[in-house]
Amino acid sequence: MESLAARFDSPRRLYKRASDRPQDWLGTTPLLDLDDPKLRLKARSLVQLCRTDRDKALAIYGFVKRLPYTKRIKLHYPTARDVLEARGGDGDDKATLLIALMRSAGIPARLRYMEMRGEMLRGLIPRATPAARPLAEFWLGHWVRTDTYIFDADYVAAARERLQENGWTCGWGIHINAQLLWDGKNDAFLGGAPTDQDPMLTRLLCVVSDPLELVSASLRGNGLRYRRSMRALQWNMLAPTMIRAIRELRANSRFY
């Protein structure tokens, strides 16, 4: 089987190579409202006792990971301040807050969007629908990746329990061998394998600052099919089902 890395490097790849210069991933965007006083205060409170960038990154990562994974119908893409005040969110929401807090603390951060096969979301949605997953990358002397911030620890424990009961290898957004925590040094993945070896990941979509850039018109020139209105409509239609599935997963787990 052709590796994901090989497909990324093919002449027909669907993205422009992003800059790897750390200084290019520190700025503000419409969603990463770095000048917001409450966001800046939160970042400062999280890292005030940290001595190294790794310590800062782990403190911010831990805060975002602990926020409950939730799903809601969205009328717009929430800013980092919105997510902070909501005290939870889905993968895109938590990614927005994570990247904003990292940048506010002076740590270059970005999102590498990957497309997952629909099997990864069994249990959450009624049919196999491919989905974009935000893999966060931080500059700590080199780029380090993780998507383990998306689900809080209780959700992951409940999902793994259900996977074992059903005899599934993946579902509810994770693999049975998912790595649970990021250590600030090495990559860590919910798929349980590096991205270029994970059979549940089909392609790289883009490298961006926030979820809104995933659906920007400028990326469609590269062949990216993600359109803002269609993506919002698709996931808003699935939101009620996901909300019930998440509630049921948590309610029926022995970890609650």
Side-chain angles (χ1 to χ4, degrees), residues 119-120 122 156-178 249:
E119 292 93 323
M120 278 292 283
R122 284 191 302 178
V156 172
R160 293 183 77 184
E161 179 184 33
R162 192 65 62 84
L163 287 175
Q164 293 173 346
E165 291 174 356
N166 290 351
W168 295 356
T169 57
C170 59
W172 289 277
I174 71 169
H175 191 278
I176 189 67
N177 296 322
L249 179 69

Side-chain angles (χ1 to χ4, degrees), residues 53 66 72-73 77 85 125 148 168 173 187 230 233 248:
D53 282 349
R66 287 190 295 272
R72 60 178 61 89
I73 294 175
Y77 278 77
E85 293 188 333
I125 58 177
T148 58
W168 295 356
D187 297 342
M230 293 303 295
L233 177 62
E248 188 271 340

Side-chain angles (χ1 to χ4, degrees), residues 18-29 32 34 53 57 60-61 94-112 135-146 149 182 207-211 213:
S19 169
D20 275 332
R21 300 190 310 168
Q23 61 267 36
D24 292 337
W25 302 98
L26 281 167
T28 190
T29 74
L32 308 180
L34 304 186
D53 282 349
I60 293 169
Y61 161 84
K94 295 181 73 172
T96 297
L97 180 58
L98 178 65
I99 299 303
L101 289 172
M102 290 287 185
R103 291 189 182 188
S104 186
I107 298 172
R110 64 189 186 184
L111 298 175
R112 182 176 297 266
L135 181 68
E137 300 185 340
F138 320 118
W139 181 263
L140 298 170
H142 61 283
W143 289 107
V144 188
R145 306 174 177 179
T146 189
Y149 67 90
W182 176 61
V207 181
V208 294
S209 289
D210 63 39
E213 290 187 4

Side-chain angles (χ1 to χ4, degrees), residues 55 79 81 85 87 91 131 143-144 155 182 190 217 234 244:
D55 291 341
T79 66
R81 168 69 179 268
E85 293 188 333
R87 300 180 182 275
W143 289 107
V144 188
Y155 176 96
W182 176 61
L190 292 169
Q234 176 190 31
R244 289 192 297 270

Side-chain angles (χ1 to χ4, degrees), residues 3-6 8 114 145 193-198 201:
S3 72
L4 196 60
F8 292 169
M114 321 291 290
R145 306 174 177 179
T195 53
D196 60 350
Q197 301 173 22
D198 189 344
L201 295 175

